[in-house]
Amino acid sequence: MSRIKGAAAGDLFGPASEAAAGIAAICRGATVLRRFVEPDAAALLAAVAGVERLAPFRHMVTPGGFRMSVAMTNCGEVGWVTDRQGYRYQATDPEAAQAWPAMPDILRGFAERAALWAGFEGYTPDSCLINRYERPARLSLHQDRNERDMRQPIVSVSLGQPAVFLFGGETRSDRPRRIPLQHGDVVVWGGPARLAFHGVDAPAAGAHPLTGASRINLTFRKAL
Ligand code: MD6
Ligand code: FE
């Protein structure tokens, strides 16, 4: 099977360093690109630091009143937020009462190329949620359903400390599979997997040379 509709197997779509990344199916609609961003991880993290200066990480509150253990910020036209009123995308950072920082080109470029490698043509993310996990922070099972067009995939980049991704089915009670994610791995998630329940365990103990004890995750969405 070719990666891109209309392309012959073996056709190359990215620089040689990306072609070297291992590609594996998690299930129909979900693909992991192993170490896809690793050569450029320091540049991606520098871009994240630039976003953080304008829109610091914060612990948001769920509609049920619980403080999330994962610290979050956003860049792009809109950002994902939660508070007592609910989950939604909005154009302004509620802490700063101003627009979210623009999505750095280096982030957008990797998201678009990863989507293409996974077989999704014409993907143009307008939002990037940046998650920071420090033990014991974790994300419990959920579906991503605040985006308008469920035909658009999500691209998820893992940096720093490894963590186990929990990947279930379309109902909360489906027993999730456990997928270890390493620094530089990218998961592209769409099509028949788009509404799968998923979560993330706390990152491994220890420290990564680029992020210390943290795991940083970037999830790109076409939200609007
Ligand atoms: C994380 N990711 O990996 C959290 N959602 O830290 C997500 O919740 C997620 O990775 C949808 C698609 C891919 C993801
Ligand atoms: Fe999610």
Side-chain angles (χ1 to χ4, degrees):
M1 190 190 79
S2 61
R3 286 286 123 208
I4 312 288
K5 281 188 224 69
D11 281 0
L12 293 179
F13 295 93
S17 62
E18 290 178 7
I23 298 181
I26 297 174
C27 71
R28 268 167 49 77
T31 306
V32 57
L33 309 172
R34 293 286 180 201
R35 305 279 176 171
F36 188 78
V37 306
E38 191 183 21
D40 298 277
L44 291 172
L45 287 165
V48 168
V51 170
E52 183 185 355
R53 274 193 293 276
L54 299 169
F57 284 101
R58 79 290 306 263
H59 295 271
M60 298 189 213
V61 175
T62 66
F66 295 99
R67 173 186 188 266
M68 296 188 76
S69 60
V70 181
M72 298 179 170
T73 185
N74 289 277
C75 59
E77 275 173 66
V78 289
W80 185 87
V81 298
T82 174
D83 58 20
R84 293 304 300 238
Q85 273 66 58
Y87 304 124
R88 65 191 174 275
Y89 285 93
Q90 66 177 47
T92 51
D93 173 351
E95 296 291 320
Q98 62 184 22
W100 294 104
M103 191 186 301
D105 287 341
I106 185 171
L107 299 193
R108 180 190 309 280
F110 272 102
E112 292 180 354
R113 287 195 299 282
L116 207 51
W117 272 97
F120 293 95
E121 262 177 290
Y123 179 61
T124 54
D126 52 21
S127 183
C128 175
L129 171 65
I130 306 174
N131 295 311
R132 185 183 68 199
Y133 297 78
E134 285 170 355
R135 288 164 65 83
R138 57 187 283 277
L139 198 59
S140 56
L141 285 182
H142 66 278
Q143 293 171 298
D144 287 23
R145 52 188 318 154
N146 299 120
E147 301 76 26
R148 252 175 226 162
D149 183 356
M150 290 293 150
R151 294 168 305 184
Q152 299 296 323
I154 294 177
V155 173
S156 169
V157 176
S158 292
L159 296 166
Q161 279 297 91
V164 174
F165 197 60
L166 308 174
F167 182 88
E170 290 210 347
T171 60
R172 192 181 289 280
S173 56
D174 291 334
R175 188 190 172 86
R177 290 172 53 198
R178 299 172 62 82
I179 317 271
L181 293 179
Q182 306 281 337
H183 174 69
D185 289 351
V186 178
V187 177
V188 182
W189 172 297
R194 185 62 179 72
L195 286 173
F197 276 89
H198 59 281
V200 199
D201 275 348
H208 186 277
L210 295 182
T211 65
S214 305
R215 170 178 180 263
I216 303 289
N217 166 261
L218 315 174
T219 49
F220 296 88
R221 292 90 185 272
K222 174 137 181 55
L224 301 180

